[in-house]
Amino acid sequence: MDDAEDGRSGGQDPESARATGPAGPTGPAGSADDPAALLDEIGALRRRARSARHAYWFPLVLFGVLTCASVPFYLPQDTGPGAQAAAGGPVPLAVLGGFSPLTQPALGYYWLAALLGGLLVTLLWYRRHARRAGLQTPALGFVVAVAVLTALAAALPLLARTGGPEWPRRLSLLLWPGDLVIRGTYAFLIIAVGLWVLAWAERSRALALIALVYSGTALMCSLYDTENILFRLGWNPANNEWNVQSLPNVLLPAFILLAAGATAFAVQHRQHRQHRQHRQQSAV
């Protein structure tokens, strides 16, 4: 009698045992997580974390604004005989300032300050974003790449003309063939390299696509007078408009950065809002 009662009270009914199965660390075997579902959840968490970390809209807009701010330096001060002699600016910054008679001597100084200042602001922006999002983007590679290229563009041409070692001159010819620097647009190529590094740091295919489009545009504007396209489309400048004929080479890269930055801001703002809502729901 006691054994029967023990079997009914302390033991487990065989049919019930078969129905429920052994209990595991996550509950009964029938409710255990499916490995495929678990992997999907991990992948979703990674995607949400990556989207929450994205903040590249800001450097796109920033360098787009800096490009627009450079427009006055692409307008010649005068069209007289002295304009050609003044073109290109000081030798140390000739790579950043170009050799075109349509640019002002201060263009090289502008891009030196704009690139380095833009890097500082971008670094501060990413640190602020990391504090807000709780996730940090390794933007240091972007800063280092642009800073090194800017420093080389400013210093190597000077070393090549001091009569010292031969390697600065050879490296200058390799990095800055005349066709790339003559129009004063080499800063666009530096920005393009930085975007590729930033796309890798952000693990963003969208930014990689933006970098590809911008790189092609920067290269075209460095090797070709894009105003010729406008001429073929019917633009016939008046006498007072010939001074602005080089501006399409500047405004086209700026437009790409600003349009891409505005689009990225709209997308990332929505993603960050969804990420905050998901964290609040998880906390509850």
Side-chain angles (χ1 to χ4, degrees), residues 93-164:
L93 299 178
V95 170
L96 295 175
F99 300 95
S100 172
L102 298 178
T103 60
Q104 295 187 19
L107 178 62
Y109 286 113
Y110 171 81
W111 275 122
L112 179 63
L115 290 173
L116 297 181
L119 290 179
L120 177 60
V121 175
T122 299
L123 185 60
L124 294 176
W125 158 255
Y126 271 105
R127 288 183 177 179
R128 175 180 179 270
H129 177 73
R131 290 194 297 268
R132 295 183 60 185
L135 296 168
Q136 185 174 5
T137 298
L140 186 60
F142 167 77
V143 174
V144 171
V146 176
V148 168
L149 288 176
T150 303
L152 289 176
L156 269 184
L158 177 62
L159 294 177
R161 289 169 172 81
T162 57

Side-chain angles (χ1 to χ4, degrees), residues 4-240:
E5 290 178 355
D6 290 340
R8 286 192 298 269
S9 60
Q12 186 174 23
D13 182 49
E15 295 296 332
S16 176
R18 284 194 295 267
T20 59
T26 58
S31 63
D33 290 337
D34 181 45
L38 183 60
L39 290 176
D40 290 340
E41 180 63 21
I42 293 175
L45 289 173
R46 287 180 176 177
R47 288 190 294 271
R48 283 196 295 267
R50 189 173 299 170
S51 64
R53 191 181 64 183
H54 287 170
Y56 57 79
W57 70 266
F58 182 82
L60 290 174
V61 172
L62 174 62
F63 284 96
V65 171
L66 291 175
T67 303
C68 290
S70 70
V71 164
F73 297 97
Y74 289 92
L75 300 176
Q77 291 177 321
D78 60 75
T79 56
Q84 179 68 35
V91 170
L93 299 178
V95 170
L96 295 175
F99 300 95
S100 172
L102 298 178
T103 60
Q104 295 187 19
L107 178 62
Y109 286 113
Y110 171 81
W111 275 122
L112 179 63
L115 290 173
L116 297 181
L119 290 179
L120 177 60
V121 175
T122 299
L123 185 60
L124 294 176
W125 158 255
Y126 271 105
R127 288 183 177 179
R128 175 180 179 270
H129 177 73
R131 290 194 297 268
R132 295 183 60 185
L135 296 168
Q136 185 174 5
T137 298
L140 186 60
F142 167 77
V143 174
V144 171
V146 176
V148 168
L149 288 176
T150 303
L152 289 176
L156 269 184
L158 177 62
L159 294 177
R161 289 169 172 81
T162 57
E166 183 70 12
W167 67 266
R169 186 182 68 83
R170 293 182 178 180
L171 187 56
S172 295
L173 294 176
L174 178 64
L175 293 177
W176 307 295
D179 290 342
L180 286 180
V181 302
I182 190 172
R183 293 173 176 83
T185 55
Y186 194 78
F188 304 158
L189 297 176
I190 295 178
I191 296 173
V193 173
L195 291 182
W196 281 109
V197 177
L198 189 59
W200 177 84
E202 291 264 18
R203 301 297 193 272
S204 172
R205 295 180 181 178
L207 183 54
L209 179 60
I210 294 170
L212 179 62
V213 174
Y214 181 79
S215 298
T217 303
L219 189 62
M220 180 185 70
C221 292
S222 298
L223 298 174
Y224 180 70
D225 295 325
T226 55
E227 64 267 20
N228 293 333
I229 300 176
L230 299 180
F231 294 156
R232 294 188 179 95
L233 294 177
W235 182 40
N236 187 18
N239 291 334
N240 59 346

